[in-house]
């Protein structure tokens, strides 16, 4: 298993065929991994289960070959079937303790959070990392809550004892403001998979993070 957490890398990439300009999940993954991304999450909300299984099986192999960590969003069963490195769940999904019973002690569990109370609960319940957001308004996720802004991010940077990743509306032009608030790892979706050249966009996003 490849265990890489958000405090060990700078970019956390997610697949999303809705914004990928016709690129397949495989094309998205190969471009992102080829650009040196070390955490890749499979998030395809509208694919059929059989398709998700085959795509995740492929991405798990590609991530292993690239030395990257592979996370599956929501679908714990598929994560187990393809031996993914971890799962990412939301506030309305199964409790962390129950997820841990299913995946075992070695797998990574990430949890989306939107408030200090949710962060504290995630730490108490045994999450390996949390998602913090949405920082800005975002169109890449349905049924998303209102942006949490910088107040919660700054609170997490000062108070959270486990790794965290900022997510939600983060782009090259505003990622510097996120980094300035104490975030070292940012999740990007459409900004990467929807770029003309994914590898070039990864490089320019990294440069923007370094300049902040």
């Amino acid at each position: 298993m490849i265990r890489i957490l958000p405090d060990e890398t700078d970019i956390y990439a997610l697949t999303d065929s809705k914004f990928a300009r016709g690129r397949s999940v495989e094309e998205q993954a190969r471009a992102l991994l080829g650009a040196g991304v070390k955490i890749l999450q499979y998030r395809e909300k509208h694919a059929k289960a059989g398709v998700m299984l085959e795509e995740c099986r492929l991405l798990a192999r590609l991530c292993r070959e690239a030395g990257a960590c592979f996370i599956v969003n929501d679908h714990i069963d598929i994560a187990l079937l393809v031996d993914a490195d971890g799962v990412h769940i939301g506030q309305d999904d199964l409790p962390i303790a129950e997820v841990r019973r299913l995946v075992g002690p070695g797998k990574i569990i990430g949890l989306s959070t939107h408030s200090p109370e949710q962060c504290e609960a995630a730490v108490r319940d045994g999450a390996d990392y949390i998602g913090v957001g949405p920082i800005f308004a975002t169109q890449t996720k349905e049924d998303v809550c209102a942006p949490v802004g910088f107040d919660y991010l700054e609170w997490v940077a000062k108070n959270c004892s486990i790794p965290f990743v900022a997510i939600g509306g983060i782009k090259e032009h505003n990622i510097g403001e996120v980094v300035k608030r104490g975030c070292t790892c940012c999740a990007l979706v459409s900004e990467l998979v929807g770029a003309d050249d994914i590898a070039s966009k990864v490089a320019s996003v990294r440069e923007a993070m370094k300049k902040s």
Side-chain angles (χ1 to χ4, degrees):
M1 193 182 81
I2 299 171
R3 189 177 176 89
I4 300 173
L5 294 172
D7 61 343
E8 299 171 289
T9 190
D10 53 355
I11 291 177
Y12 184 126
L14 294 84
T15 68
D16 196 323
S17 294
K18 181 178 178 181
F19 297 93
R21 302 173 64 170
R23 297 182 180 101
S24 68
V25 168
E26 178 180 358
E27 289 172 317
Q28 295 171 55
R30 286 188 182 277
L32 291 164
L33 296 170
V37 166
K38 290 301 179 184
I39 302 180
L40 178 64
Q41 182 188 129
Y42 176 87
R43 191 178 78 181
E44 298 290 329
K45 293 293 187 180
H46 301 294
K48 295 182 184 297
V51 172
M52 286 194 288
L53 177 61
E54 290 309 311
E55 289 179 338
C56 284
R57 188 167 280 141
L58 172 61
L59 265 57
R61 177 175 64 80
L62 294 177
C63 285
R64 281 194 295 271
E65 291 172 353
C69 181
F70 180 50
I71 304 291
V72 175
N73 181 266
D74 288 347
H75 296 277
I76 300 163
D77 51 351
I78 290 176
L80 289 170
L81 286 169
V82 304
D83 196 23
D85 300 303
V87 295
H88 188 93
I89 57 175
Q91 290 292 319
D92 295 327
D93 294 321
L94 291 174
I96 290 175
E98 302 305 320
V99 176
R100 182 63 71 195
R101 287 180 61 194
L102 291 171
V103 303
K107 300 290 187 187
I108 296 167
I109 300 176
L111 177 69
S112 297
T113 68
H114 319 294
S115 68
E117 294 76 20
Q118 291 177 355
C119 171
E120 290 170 345
V123 174
R124 185 172 61 249
D125 294 342
D128 293 292
Y129 75 89
I130 59 168
V132 177
I135 304 301
F136 307 104
T138 176
Q139 303 299 317
T140 62
K141 190 173 183 183
E142 300 170 6
D143 301 321
V144 69
C145 67
V148 299
F150 291 132
D151 288 347
Y152 176 45
L153 177 61
E154 291 173 344
W155 185 92
V156 168
K158 293 176 182 176
N159 296 284
C160 187
S161 60
I162 61 174
F164 66 94
V165 55
I167 189 169
I170 299 174
K171 313 287 185 183
E172 181 182 347
H173 70 83
N174 61 25
I175 200 167
E177 294 302 312
V178 180
V179 174
K180 286 177 183 176
R181 267 71 180 191
C183 182
T184 60
C185 184
C186 295
L188 298 96
V189 190
S190 60
E191 183 75 345
L192 299 184
V193 300
D196 289 335
D197 184 317
I198 291 176
S200 294
K201 178 58 73 172
V202 170
S204 59
V205 165
R206 282 195 163 124
E207 192 62 30
M209 294 180 76
K210 291 176 184 176
K211 288 179 178 177
S212 59

